[in-house]
Short mmCIF file of all heavy atoms in Angstrom, two decimals:
data_model
loop_
_atom_site.label_atom_id
_atom_site.label_comp_id
_atom_site.label_asym_id
_atom_site.label_seq_id
_atom_site.Cartn_x
_atom_site.Cartn_y
_atom_site.Cartn_z
N LEU I 313 -6.70 2.62 -15.22
CA LEU I 313 -5.56 3.47 -14.88
C LEU I 313 -5.46 4.68 -15.80
O LEU I 313 -5.02 5.75 -15.40
CB LEU I 313 -4.25 2.66 -14.91
CG LEU I 313 -4.17 1.53 -13.87
CD1 LEU I 313 -2.77 0.93 -13.81
CD2 LEU I 313 -4.60 2.00 -12.48
N GLU I 314 -5.90 4.51 -17.02
CA GLU I 314 -5.96 5.64 -17.96
C GLU I 314 -6.88 6.74 -17.44
O GLU I 314 -6.56 7.92 -17.47
CB GLU I 314 -6.49 5.08 -19.29
CG GLU I 314 -6.27 5.91 -20.51
CD GLU I 314 -4.79 6.08 -20.82
OE1 GLU I 314 -4.06 5.11 -21.08
OE2 GLU I 314 -4.37 7.25 -20.78
N ARG I 315 -8.04 6.32 -16.91
CA ARG I 315 -9.06 7.30 -16.53
C ARG I 315 -8.97 7.78 -15.08
O ARG I 315 -9.60 8.77 -14.72
CB ARG I 315 -10.46 6.70 -16.80
CG ARG I 315 -10.69 6.48 -18.30
CD ARG I 315 -11.98 5.77 -18.59
NE ARG I 315 -13.13 6.46 -18.06
CZ ARG I 315 -14.31 5.91 -17.84
NH1 ARG I 315 -14.50 4.63 -18.10
NH2 ARG I 315 -15.31 6.63 -17.38
N ALA I 316 -8.18 7.09 -14.26
CA ALA I 316 -8.12 7.44 -12.82
C ALA I 316 -6.92 8.31 -12.49
O ALA I 316 -6.75 8.71 -11.34
CB ALA I 316 -8.10 6.17 -11.99
N ARG I 317 -6.11 8.62 -13.50
CA ARG I 317 -4.79 9.21 -13.17
C ARG I 317 -4.88 10.56 -12.48
O ARG I 317 -3.97 10.90 -11.72
CB ARG I 317 -3.90 9.29 -14.42
CG ARG I 317 -4.52 9.91 -15.63
CD ARG I 317 -3.45 10.41 -16.61
NE ARG I 317 -2.54 9.38 -17.10
CZ ARG I 317 -2.58 8.83 -18.31
NH1 ARG I 317 -3.52 9.20 -19.18
NH2 ARG I 317 -1.69 7.95 -18.68
N ASN I 318 -5.94 11.29 -12.66
CA ASN I 318 -6.03 12.59 -11.99
C ASN I 318 -6.50 12.50 -10.54
O ASN I 318 -6.46 13.49 -9.81
CB ASN I 318 -6.97 13.54 -12.73
CG ASN I 318 -6.41 13.92 -14.07
OD1 ASN I 318 -5.18 13.94 -14.23
ND2 ASN I 318 -7.27 14.17 -15.04
N TYR I 319 -6.96 11.31 -10.14
CA TYR I 319 -7.59 11.19 -8.81
C TYR I 319 -6.86 10.27 -7.85
O TYR I 319 -7.11 10.31 -6.65
CB TYR I 319 -9.00 10.61 -8.94
CG TYR I 319 -9.86 11.28 -9.98
CD1 TYR I 319 -10.15 10.64 -11.18
CD2 TYR I 319 -10.38 12.56 -9.75
CE1 TYR I 319 -10.93 11.25 -12.15
CE2 TYR I 319 -11.17 13.17 -10.71
CZ TYR I 319 -11.43 12.51 -11.91
OH TYR I 319 -12.21 13.12 -12.85
N VAL I 320 -6.04 9.39 -8.38
CA VAL I 320 -5.48 8.31 -7.57
C VAL I 320 -3.96 8.45 -7.48
O VAL I 320 -3.30 8.72 -8.47
CB VAL I 320 -5.87 6.94 -8.18
CG1 VAL I 320 -5.16 5.80 -7.47
CG2 VAL I 320 -7.38 6.75 -8.15
N ALA I 321 -3.42 8.25 -6.25
CA ALA I 321 -1.98 8.43 -6.04
C ALA I 321 -1.19 7.16 -6.35
O ALA I 321 -0.13 7.22 -6.98
CB ALA I 321 -1.73 8.83 -4.58
N GLY I 322 -1.72 6.03 -5.89
CA GLY I 322 -0.92 4.81 -6.02
C GLY I 322 -1.77 3.60 -6.39
O GLY I 322 -3.00 3.61 -6.28
N VAL I 323 -1.08 2.56 -6.84
CA VAL I 323 -1.73 1.30 -7.20
C VAL I 323 -0.99 0.19 -6.47
O VAL I 323 0.24 0.11 -6.54
CB VAL I 323 -1.66 1.05 -8.72
CG1 VAL I 323 -2.32 -0.28 -9.07
CG2 VAL I 323 -2.32 2.20 -9.49
N LYS I 324 -1.76 -0.65 -5.76
CA LYS I 324 -1.17 -1.78 -5.05
C LYS I 324 -1.61 -3.05 -5.76
O LYS I 324 -2.80 -3.35 -5.83
CB LYS I 324 -1.66 -1.79 -3.59
CG LYS I 324 -1.11 -2.92 -2.76
CD LYS I 324 -1.60 -2.85 -1.31
CE LYS I 324 -2.97 -3.42 -1.09
NZ LYS I 324 -3.11 -4.86 -1.35
N PHE I 325 -0.65 -3.77 -6.36
CA PHE I 325 -0.99 -5.03 -7.01
C PHE I 325 -0.83 -6.17 -6.01
O PHE I 325 0.23 -6.33 -5.39
CB PHE I 325 -0.07 -5.29 -8.21
CG PHE I 325 -0.44 -4.51 -9.44
CD1 PHE I 325 0.48 -3.65 -10.04
CD2 PHE I 325 -1.69 -4.65 -10.03
CE1 PHE I 325 0.15 -2.93 -11.18
CE2 PHE I 325 -2.03 -3.93 -11.17
CZ PHE I 325 -1.11 -3.07 -11.75
N GLY I 326 -1.88 -6.97 -5.86
CA GLY I 326 -1.84 -8.12 -4.96
C GLY I 326 -1.24 -9.33 -5.65
O GLY I 326 -1.19 -9.41 -6.89
N LEU I 327 -0.81 -10.30 -4.85
CA LEU I 327 -0.21 -11.51 -5.41
C LEU I 327 -1.12 -12.25 -6.40
O LEU I 327 -0.63 -12.73 -7.41
CB LEU I 327 0.19 -12.47 -4.28
CG LEU I 327 1.65 -12.43 -3.84
CD1 LEU I 327 1.91 -13.55 -2.83
CD2 LEU I 327 2.60 -12.57 -5.03
N PRO I 328 -2.43 -12.35 -6.12
CA PRO I 328 -3.27 -13.06 -7.11
C PRO I 328 -3.18 -12.42 -8.49
O PRO I 328 -3.10 -13.11 -9.51
CB PRO I 328 -4.70 -12.92 -6.55
CG PRO I 328 -4.52 -12.60 -5.11
CD PRO I 328 -3.21 -11.90 -4.96
N TYR I 329 -3.14 -11.09 -8.52
CA TYR I 329 -3.09 -10.39 -9.81
C TYR I 329 -1.72 -10.58 -10.47
O TYR I 329 -1.62 -10.80 -11.68
CB TYR I 329 -3.40 -8.90 -9.63
CG TYR I 329 -3.72 -8.23 -10.94
CD1 TYR I 329 -5.01 -8.30 -11.47
CD2 TYR I 329 -2.75 -7.58 -11.68
CE1 TYR I 329 -5.32 -7.73 -12.68
CE2 TYR I 329 -3.04 -7.00 -12.91
CZ TYR I 329 -4.33 -7.08 -13.40
OH TYR I 329 -4.63 -6.52 -14.63
N ILE I 330 -0.67 -10.50 -9.66
CA ILE I 330 0.69 -10.63 -10.20
C ILE I 330 0.91 -12.05 -10.74
O ILE I 330 1.40 -12.24 -11.86
CB ILE I 330 1.75 -10.31 -9.12
CG1 ILE I 330 1.63 -8.84 -8.67
CG2 ILE I 330 3.16 -10.59 -9.64
CD1 ILE I 330 2.49 -8.47 -7.45
N LEU I 331 0.50 -13.05 -9.97
CA LEU I 331 0.72 -14.44 -10.40
C LEU I 331 -0.13 -14.79 -11.61
O LEU I 331 0.30 -15.49 -12.51
CB LEU I 331 0.40 -15.40 -9.25
CG LEU I 331 1.36 -15.33 -8.06
CD1 LEU I 331 0.89 -16.25 -6.93
CD2 LEU I 331 2.78 -15.70 -8.47
N LYS I 332 -1.34 -14.26 -11.63
CA LYS I 332 -2.24 -14.59 -12.74
C LYS I 332 -1.76 -13.99 -14.06
O LYS I 332 -1.84 -14.61 -15.11
CB LYS I 332 -3.65 -14.09 -12.42
CG LYS I 332 -4.67 -14.56 -13.41
CD LYS I 332 -6.07 -14.43 -12.88
CE LYS I 332 -7.02 -14.99 -13.92
NZ LYS I 332 -8.38 -14.63 -13.68
N ASN I 333 -1.23 -12.78 -13.98
CA ASN I 333 -0.86 -12.06 -15.21
C ASN I 333 0.60 -12.22 -15.60
O ASN I 333 0.95 -12.02 -16.76
CB ASN I 333 -1.21 -10.58 -15.07
CG ASN I 333 -2.72 -10.37 -15.08
OD1 ASN I 333 -3.34 -10.39 -16.14
ND2 ASN I 333 -3.31 -10.25 -13.91
N GLY I 334 1.43 -12.53 -14.63
CA GLY I 334 2.85 -12.74 -14.94
C GLY I 334 3.67 -11.47 -14.89
O GLY I 334 3.16 -10.35 -15.03
N LEU I 335 4.97 -11.68 -14.73
CA LEU I 335 5.88 -10.56 -14.52
C LEU I 335 5.92 -9.60 -15.70
O LEU I 335 5.98 -8.38 -15.52
CB LEU I 335 7.30 -11.10 -14.25
CG LEU I 335 7.64 -11.40 -12.79
CD1 LEU I 335 6.66 -12.33 -12.12
CD2 LEU I 335 9.06 -11.92 -12.65
N ASP I 336 5.90 -10.14 -16.92
CA ASP I 336 6.04 -9.26 -18.09
C ASP I 336 4.85 -8.32 -18.23
O ASP I 336 5.00 -7.15 -18.56
CB ASP I 336 6.21 -10.09 -19.36
CG ASP I 336 7.56 -10.78 -19.39
OD1 ASP I 336 8.47 -10.34 -18.66
OD2 ASP I 336 7.69 -11.80 -20.11
N THR I 337 3.67 -8.86 -17.98
CA THR I 337 2.46 -8.01 -18.08
C THR I 337 2.49 -6.92 -17.02
O THR I 337 2.20 -5.75 -17.31
CB THR I 337 1.19 -8.87 -17.91
OG1 THR I 337 1.19 -9.84 -18.94
CG2 THR I 337 -0.07 -8.04 -17.99
N ILE I 338 2.85 -7.30 -15.79
CA ILE I 338 2.90 -6.29 -14.72
C ILE I 338 3.93 -5.23 -15.08
O ILE I 338 3.68 -4.02 -14.96
CB ILE I 338 3.26 -6.95 -13.36
CG1 ILE I 338 2.23 -8.02 -12.98
CG2 ILE I 338 3.38 -5.88 -12.27
CD1 ILE I 338 0.82 -7.55 -12.76
N ARG I 339 5.08 -5.69 -15.58
CA ARG I 339 6.13 -4.72 -15.95
C ARG I 339 5.62 -3.74 -17.02
O ARG I 339 5.88 -2.55 -16.96
CB ARG I 339 7.36 -5.46 -16.47
CG ARG I 339 8.52 -4.51 -16.70
CD ARG I 339 9.79 -5.18 -17.20
NE ARG I 339 9.60 -6.53 -17.70
CZ ARG I 339 10.41 -7.55 -17.43
NH1 ARG I 339 11.45 -7.36 -16.68
NH2 ARG I 339 10.18 -8.74 -17.93
N SER I 340 4.87 -4.24 -17.98
CA SER I 340 4.44 -3.33 -19.03
C SER I 340 3.34 -2.37 -18.53
O SER I 340 3.30 -1.20 -18.94
CB SER I 340 4.06 -4.06 -20.32
OG SER I 340 2.85 -4.70 -20.16
N ILE I 341 2.49 -2.83 -17.63
CA ILE I 341 1.48 -1.91 -17.05
C ILE I 341 2.20 -0.80 -16.28
O ILE I 341 1.90 0.39 -16.44
CB ILE I 341 0.52 -2.65 -16.10
CG1 ILE I 341 -0.30 -3.71 -16.83
CG2 ILE I 341 -0.42 -1.65 -15.39
CD1 ILE I 341 -1.04 -4.69 -15.91
N ILE I 342 3.15 -1.21 -15.45
CA ILE I 342 3.85 -0.21 -14.62
C ILE I 342 4.61 0.77 -15.51
O ILE I 342 4.58 1.98 -15.28
CB ILE I 342 4.79 -0.90 -13.60
CG1 ILE I 342 3.95 -1.66 -12.57
CG2 ILE I 342 5.70 0.13 -12.91
CD1 ILE I 342 4.75 -2.45 -11.54
N SER I 343 5.25 0.26 -16.55
CA SER I 343 6.06 1.20 -17.34
C SER I 343 5.15 2.17 -18.10
O SER I 343 5.48 3.33 -18.28
CB SER I 343 7.06 0.48 -18.24
OG SER I 343 6.42 0.04 -19.40
N ARG I 344 3.98 1.73 -18.47
CA ARG I 344 3.05 2.64 -19.17
C ARG I 344 2.56 3.78 -18.26
O ARG I 344 2.34 4.89 -18.72
CB ARG I 344 1.87 1.80 -19.66
CG ARG I 344 0.79 2.62 -20.30
CD ARG I 344 -0.17 1.78 -21.11
NE ARG I 344 -1.28 2.60 -21.54
CZ ARG I 344 -2.43 2.12 -21.97
NH1 ARG I 344 -2.61 0.83 -22.07
NH2 ARG I 344 -3.39 2.94 -22.32
N PHE I 345 2.37 3.48 -16.96
CA PHE I 345 1.76 4.47 -16.06
C PHE I 345 2.73 4.99 -14.99
O PHE I 345 2.29 5.55 -14.00
CB PHE I 345 0.53 3.86 -15.38
CG PHE I 345 -0.58 3.55 -16.35
CD1 PHE I 345 -0.83 2.26 -16.76
CD2 PHE I 345 -1.36 4.58 -16.88
CE1 PHE I 345 -1.85 1.97 -17.68
CE2 PHE I 345 -2.39 4.31 -17.79
CZ PHE I 345 -2.62 3.00 -18.19
N ARG I 346 4.03 4.82 -15.24
CA ARG I 346 4.96 5.08 -14.14
C ARG I 346 5.02 6.54 -13.70
O ARG I 346 5.37 6.83 -12.56
CB ARG I 346 6.34 4.50 -14.38
CG ARG I 346 7.24 5.06 -15.35
CD ARG I 346 8.63 4.50 -14.98
NE ARG I 346 8.78 4.48 -13.53
CZ ARG I 346 8.64 3.41 -12.72
NH1 ARG I 346 8.43 2.24 -13.20
NH2 ARG I 346 8.74 3.53 -11.42
N ASN I 347 4.64 7.47 -14.57
CA ASN I 347 4.64 8.88 -14.14
C ASN I 347 3.34 9.28 -13.44
O ASN I 347 3.25 10.35 -12.87
CB ASN I 347 4.86 9.80 -15.34
CG ASN I 347 6.22 9.57 -15.94
OD1 ASN I 347 7.17 9.29 -15.21
ND2 ASN I 347 6.32 9.65 -17.27
N ASP I 348 2.35 8.42 -13.52
CA ASP I 348 1.03 8.79 -12.99
C ASP I 348 0.76 8.29 -11.58
O ASP I 348 -0.05 8.86 -10.86
CB ASP I 348 -0.06 8.20 -13.90
CG ASP I 348 0.08 8.71 -15.31
OD1 ASP I 348 0.21 9.94 -15.47
OD2 ASP I 348 0.08 7.88 -16.25
N TYR I 349 1.39 7.20 -11.21
CA TYR I 349 1.11 6.56 -9.92
C TYR I 349 2.41 6.03 -9.32
O TYR I 349 3.36 5.76 -10.05
CB TYR I 349 0.21 5.32 -10.10
CG TYR I 349 -1.07 5.54 -10.86
CD1 TYR I 349 -1.15 5.27 -12.23
CD2 TYR I 349 -2.22 5.99 -10.21
CE1 TYR I 349 -2.34 5.46 -12.94
CE2 TYR I 349 -3.41 6.17 -10.90
CZ TYR I 349 -3.46 5.91 -12.26
OH TYR I 349 -4.63 6.08 -12.95
N PHE I 350 2.42 5.81 -7.98
CA PHE I 350 3.46 4.91 -7.45
C PHE I 350 2.85 3.51 -7.35
O PHE I 350 1.64 3.35 -7.19
CB PHE I 350 4.03 5.41 -6.11
CG PHE I 350 3.06 5.51 -4.97
CD1 PHE I 350 2.72 4.39 -4.23
CD2 PHE I 350 2.51 6.73 -4.63
CE1 PHE I 350 1.83 4.48 -3.16
CE2 PHE I 350 1.62 6.84 -3.57
CZ PHE I 350 1.27 5.71 -2.83
N PHE I 351 3.71 2.52 -7.46
CA PHE I 351 3.25 1.13 -7.53
C PHE I 351 3.81 0.31 -6.37
O PHE I 351 5.03 0.28 -6.15
CB PHE I 351 3.66 0.50 -8.86
CG PHE I 351 2.86 1.02 -10.03
CD1 PHE I 351 3.30 2.11 -10.76
CD2 PHE I 351 1.64 0.43 -10.37
CE1 PHE I 351 2.55 2.61 -11.83
CE2 PHE I 351 0.89 0.92 -11.43
CZ PHE I 351 1.34 2.01 -12.17
N ILE I 352 2.91 -0.35 -5.64
CA ILE I 352 3.30 -1.16 -4.49
C ILE I 352 3.06 -2.64 -4.82
O ILE I 352 1.96 -3.01 -5.24
CB ILE I 352 2.45 -0.81 -3.24
CG1 ILE I 352 2.56 0.68 -2.91
CG2 ILE I 352 2.86 -1.67 -2.04
CD1 ILE I 352 1.61 1.13 -1.79
N ALA I 353 4.08 -3.46 -4.60
CA ALA I 353 3.92 -4.92 -4.74
C ALA I 353 3.48 -5.47 -3.39
O ALA I 353 4.25 -5.48 -2.44
CB ALA I 353 5.24 -5.55 -5.16
N ASP I 354 2.24 -5.93 -3.33
CA ASP I 354 1.75 -6.49 -2.06
C ASP I 354 2.08 -7.98 -2.02
O ASP I 354 1.21 -8.82 -2.26
CB ASP I 354 0.25 -6.25 -1.90
CG ASP I 354 -0.21 -6.63 -0.51
OD1 ASP I 354 0.61 -7.17 0.26
OD2 ASP I 354 -1.39 -6.40 -0.19
N ILE I 355 3.37 -8.25 -1.72
CA ILE I 355 3.79 -9.66 -1.68
C ILE I 355 3.77 -10.19 -0.25
O ILE I 355 4.04 -11.36 -0.02
CB ILE I 355 5.20 -9.84 -2.29
CG1 ILE I 355 6.20 -8.89 -1.65
CG2 ILE I 355 5.16 -9.62 -3.80
CD1 ILE I 355 7.64 -9.11 -2.07
N LYS I 356 3.47 -9.32 0.72
CA LYS I 356 3.41 -9.72 2.14
C LYS I 356 4.52 -10.69 2.49
O LYS I 356 4.31 -11.79 3.01
CB LYS I 356 2.05 -10.33 2.48
CG LYS I 356 0.90 -9.38 2.32
CD LYS I 356 0.17 -9.11 3.61
CE LYS I 356 -0.91 -8.06 3.41
NZ LYS I 356 -1.78 -8.24 2.25
N LEU I 357 5.72 -10.25 2.22
CA LEU I 357 6.90 -11.07 2.41
C LEU I 357 7.03 -11.52 3.87
O LEU I 357 6.94 -10.69 4.78
CB LEU I 357 8.10 -10.21 2.01
CG LEU I 357 9.40 -10.87 1.66
CD1 LEU I 357 9.18 -12.01 0.67
CD2 LEU I 357 10.32 -9.83 1.04
N ALA I 358 7.22 -12.82 4.08
CA ALA I 358 7.38 -13.36 5.44
C ALA I 358 8.31 -14.56 5.34
O ALA I 358 7.88 -15.70 5.48
CB ALA I 358 6.03 -13.75 6.02
N ASP I 359 9.59 -14.28 5.09
CA ASP I 359 10.52 -15.39 4.86
C ASP I 359 11.92 -15.00 5.31
O ASP I 359 12.16 -13.86 5.70
CB ASP I 359 10.50 -15.76 3.37
CG ASP I 359 10.68 -17.25 3.15
OD1 ASP I 359 11.45 -17.88 3.89
OD2 ASP I 359 10.03 -17.79 2.23
N ILE I 360 12.85 -15.96 5.25
CA ILE I 360 14.23 -15.67 5.63
C ILE I 360 14.85 -14.68 4.64
O ILE I 360 14.36 -14.52 3.50
CB ILE I 360 15.08 -16.96 5.67
CG1 ILE I 360 15.04 -17.67 4.31
CG2 ILE I 360 14.59 -17.87 6.78
CD1 ILE I 360 16.05 -18.81 4.19
N GLY I 361 15.91 -14.02 5.09
CA GLY I 361 16.53 -12.98 4.28
C GLY I 361 16.89 -13.44 2.88
O GLY I 361 16.67 -12.71 1.90
N PHE I 362 17.41 -14.65 2.74
CA PHE I 362 17.85 -15.14 1.43
C PHE I 362 16.68 -15.18 0.44
O PHE I 362 16.78 -14.68 -0.68
CB PHE I 362 18.46 -16.54 1.57
CG PHE I 362 18.74 -17.21 0.26
CD1 PHE I 362 19.78 -16.77 -0.55
CD2 PHE I 362 17.93 -18.25 -0.19
CE1 PHE I 362 20.02 -17.37 -1.79
CE2 PHE I 362 18.16 -18.84 -1.42
CZ PHE I 362 19.21 -18.41 -2.23
N VAL I 363 15.57 -15.75 0.87
CA VAL I 363 14.41 -15.87 -0.03
C VAL I 363 13.78 -14.49 -0.25
O VAL I 363 13.36 -14.14 -1.36
CB VAL I 363 13.37 -16.88 0.53
CG1 VAL I 363 12.14 -16.94 -0.35
CG2 VAL I 363 14.01 -18.25 0.65
N GLY I 364 13.77 -13.70 0.83
CA GLY I 364 13.26 -12.34 0.71
C GLY I 364 14.00 -11.58 -0.38
O GLY I 364 13.40 -10.90 -1.22
N SER I 365 15.31 -11.75 -0.38
CA SER I 365 16.13 -11.06 -1.35
C SER I 365 15.78 -11.45 -2.80
O SER I 365 15.73 -10.61 -3.70
CB SER I 365 17.59 -11.40 -1.02
OG SER I 365 18.43 -10.66 -1.82
N LEU I 366 15.53 -12.74 -3.01
CA LEU I 366 15.14 -13.21 -4.35
C LEU I 366 13.82 -12.55 -4.78
O LEU I 366 13.64 -12.12 -5.92
CB LEU I 366 14.96 -14.74 -4.37
CG LEU I 366 16.18 -15.59 -4.05
CD1 LEU I 366 15.79 -17.06 -3.98
CD2 LEU I 366 17.27 -15.38 -5.10
N MET I 367 12.88 -12.48 -3.83
CA MET I 367 11.58 -11.87 -4.13
C MET I 367 11.73 -10.39 -4.48
O MET I 367 11.07 -9.87 -5.39
CB MET I 367 10.64 -12.01 -2.92
CG MET I 367 10.16 -13.41 -2.65
SD MET I 367 9.04 -14.01 -3.92
CE MET I 367 7.58 -13.08 -3.52
N ILE I 368 12.59 -9.72 -3.72
CA ILE I 368 12.74 -8.28 -3.92
C ILE I 368 13.37 -7.99 -5.29
O ILE I 368 13.02 -7.01 -5.95
CB ILE I 368 13.58 -7.68 -2.76
CG1 ILE I 368 12.82 -7.84 -1.45
CG2 ILE I 368 13.86 -6.20 -3.00
CD1 ILE I 368 13.66 -7.63 -0.20
N ASP I 369 14.28 -8.86 -5.72
CA ASP I 369 14.84 -8.70 -7.08
C ASP I 369 13.72 -8.75 -8.13
O ASP I 369 13.73 -7.98 -9.10
CB ASP I 369 15.85 -9.82 -7.38
CG ASP I 369 17.21 -9.53 -6.76
OD1 ASP I 369 17.57 -8.33 -6.65
OD2 ASP I 369 17.91 -10.49 -6.40
N LEU I 370 12.78 -9.65 -7.94
CA LEU I 370 11.68 -9.77 -8.92
C LEU I 370 10.78 -8.53 -8.88
O LEU I 370 10.33 -8.05 -9.91
CB LEU I 370 10.85 -11.03 -8.64
CG LEU I 370 11.58 -12.36 -8.83
CD1 LEU I 370 10.70 -13.53 -8.41
CD2 LEU I 370 12.01 -12.53 -10.29
N VAL I 371 10.56 -8.05 -7.65
CA VAL I 371 9.73 -6.83 -7.48
C VAL I 371 10.38 -5.67 -8.24
O VAL I 371 9.72 -4.91 -8.95
CB VAL I 371 9.60 -6.51 -5.97
CG1 VAL I 371 9.15 -5.09 -5.73
CG2 VAL I 371 8.64 -7.50 -5.31
N LYS I 372 11.70 -5.56 -8.10
CA LYS I 372 12.43 -4.49 -8.78
C LYS I 372 12.34 -4.65 -10.30
O LYS I 372 12.12 -3.69 -11.04
CB LYS I 372 13.89 -4.48 -8.32
CG LYS I 372 14.73 -3.37 -8.89
CD LYS I 372 14.35 -2.04 -8.29
CE LYS I 372 15.10 -0.89 -8.94
NZ LYS I 372 14.70 0.41 -8.39
N LYS I 373 12.49 -5.89 -10.75
CA LYS I 373 12.44 -6.16 -12.20
C LYS I 373 11.11 -5.73 -12.81
O LYS I 373 11.05 -5.30 -13.95
CB LYS I 373 12.63 -7.66 -12.46
CG LYS I 373 14.05 -8.04 -12.71
CD LYS I 373 14.13 -9.40 -13.39
CE LYS I 373 15.59 -9.79 -13.52
NZ LYS I 373 15.84 -11.17 -13.21
N MET I 374 10.06 -5.89 -12.04
CA MET I 374 8.73 -5.51 -12.56
C MET I 374 8.55 -3.99 -12.57
O MET I 374 7.59 -3.49 -13.14
CB MET I 374 7.62 -6.18 -11.73
CG MET I 374 7.48 -7.66 -12.03
SD MET I 374 6.11 -8.41 -11.11
CE MET I 374 6.87 -8.84 -9.57
N GLY I 375 9.43 -3.29 -11.89
CA GLY I 375 9.35 -1.81 -11.94
C GLY I 375 8.63 -1.18 -10.75
O GLY I 375 8.37 0.03 -10.76
N PHE I 376 8.34 -1.99 -9.73
CA PHE I 376 7.64 -1.43 -8.56
C PHE I 376 8.49 -0.39 -7.84
O PHE I 376 9.73 -0.42 -7.92
CB PHE I 376 7.28 -2.55 -7.57
CG PHE I 376 6.09 -3.36 -7.98
CD1 PHE I 376 6.23 -4.63 -8.54
CD2 PHE I 376 4.80 -2.85 -7.78
CE1 PHE I 376 5.12 -5.37 -8.92
CE2 PHE I 376 3.69 -3.60 -8.14
CZ PHE I 376 3.84 -4.87 -8.71
N ASP I 377 7.80 0.51 -7.13
CA ASP I 377 8.46 1.54 -6.31
C ASP I 377 8.57 1.11 -4.86
O ASP I 377 9.37 1.65 -4.10
CB ASP I 377 7.63 2.83 -6.34
CG ASP I 377 7.43 3.33 -7.75
OD1 ASP I 377 8.43 3.67 -8.39
OD2 ASP I 377 6.26 3.36 -8.21
N ALA I 378 7.71 0.18 -4.45
CA ALA I 378 7.60 -0.17 -3.03
C ALA I 378 7.06 -1.59 -2.92
O ALA I 378 6.50 -2.13 -3.88
CB ALA I 378 6.64 0.80 -2.33
N PHE I 379 7.24 -2.20 -1.75
CA PHE I 379 6.64 -3.51 -1.51
C PHE I 379 6.28 -3.64 -0.03
O PHE I 379 6.68 -2.81 0.80
CB PHE I 379 7.57 -4.65 -1.95
CG PHE I 379 8.83 -4.77 -1.15
CD1 PHE I 379 8.92 -5.67 -0.09
CD2 PHE I 379 9.93 -3.99 -1.44
CE1 PHE I 379 10.08 -5.79 0.66
CE2 PHE I 379 11.10 -4.08 -0.69
CZ PHE I 379 11.18 -4.98 0.35
N ILE I 380 5.52 -4.70 0.27
CA ILE I 380 5.03 -4.91 1.64
C ILE I 380 5.63 -6.20 2.20
O ILE I 380 5.63 -7.24 1.53
CB ILE I 380 3.49 -4.99 1.66
CG1 ILE I 380 2.89 -3.68 1.15
CG2 ILE I 380 2.98 -5.33 3.06
CD1 ILE I 380 1.37 -3.68 1.02
N ALA I 381 6.13 -6.11 3.43
CA ALA I 381 6.62 -7.30 4.14
C ALA I 381 5.91 -7.39 5.48
O ALA I 381 5.45 -6.38 6.03
CB ALA I 381 8.13 -7.22 4.35
#
Side-chain angles (χ1 to χ4, degrees):
L313 296 189
E314 198 63 62
R315 294 174 58 200
R317 50 159 59 104
N318 292 332
Y319 311 107
V320 173
V323 179
K324 180 178 82 64
F325 282 122
L327 262 187
Y329 195 84
I330 296 171
L331 292 175
K332 188 162 183 195
N333 290 281
L335 271 54
D336 290 340
T337 300
I338 301 297
R339 187 179 15 223
S340 74
I341 296 167
I342 292 177
S343 81
R344 176 164 172 197
F345 294 103
R346 72 163 320 101
N347 296 325
D348 301 311
Y349 307 96
F350 62 82
F351 287 91
I352 304 173
D354 189 355
I355 52 173
K356 297 242 176 47
L357 200 48
D359 215 322
I360 58 169
F362 171 72
V363 177
S365 186
L366 298 175
M367 289 291 286
I368 296 165
D369 279 329
L370 295 175
V371 162
K372 183 71 185 178
K373 267 198 185 138
M374 286 183 274
F376 282 102
D377 303 297
F379 67 96
I380 298 175

